[in-house]
Amino acid sequence: MFTFEPDSYKTRKEHIKGLISNDLYNQYFPSNQNFGDSNNVSSKLDQAKVYTRAKQDQNIDGLAVITFESKTGSNDFKKQTVLYQLSYDTTAKQLTKVKSLGDSFEASDIQ
């Protein structure tokens, strides 16, 4: 989701299709909306850290800390950090819940 260029923006959804549940796929890529281009935005994933709790039934819940960089056109990349609450189904081997907890701090503060 966080690594794309204007030319690869449309195809990024195909790269994650098998990794997330159908409900999540439809949430992030609704069929009634057009995801034609990235408005000249490029993004690249720097780091993804996942902190998990113990497995309960077939699910593992966790927290993801995602650091990425994005830019518009020929501008410089800017770092960002976002947090997500996750749920992973170990039987289906797919993410079933991704809830954004927003930006928590500046990525430049992380060493």
Side-chain angles (χ1 to χ4, degrees), residues 6-88:
D7 291 340
S8 64
Y9 182 76
K10 288 189 334 188
T11 60
R12 70 191 176 111
K13 64 183 180 178
E14 296 306 317
H15 294 284
I16 66 165
K17 187 168 182 131
L19 302 175
I20 60 177
S21 68
N22 286 336
D23 288 342
L24 279 180
Y25 187 83
N26 292 332
Q27 175 185 330
Y28 282 100
F29 305 102
S31 60
N32 61 347
Q33 292 186 10
N34 181 12
F35 290 93
D37 62 46
S38 69
N39 291 326
N40 210 26
V41 173
S42 296
S43 181
K44 60 183 179 179
L45 177 68
D46 286 337
Q47 188 174 57
K49 289 187 177 182
V50 179
Y51 303 92
T52 61
R53 290 193 282 178
K55 180 180 172 185
Q56 295 182 3
D57 298 321
Q58 68 196 42
N59 294 316
I60 299 174
D61 293 328
L63 179 71
V65 180
I66 309 296
T67 304
F68 67 100
E69 298 177 54
S70 63
K71 71 175 185 169
T72 303
S74 60
N75 294 320
D76 292 335
F77 277 100
K78 287 185 163 185
K79 286 190 177 234
Q80 293 177 271
T81 299
V82 292
L83 299 173
Y84 293 95
Q85 183 179 0
L86 307 173
S87 188
Y88 181 78

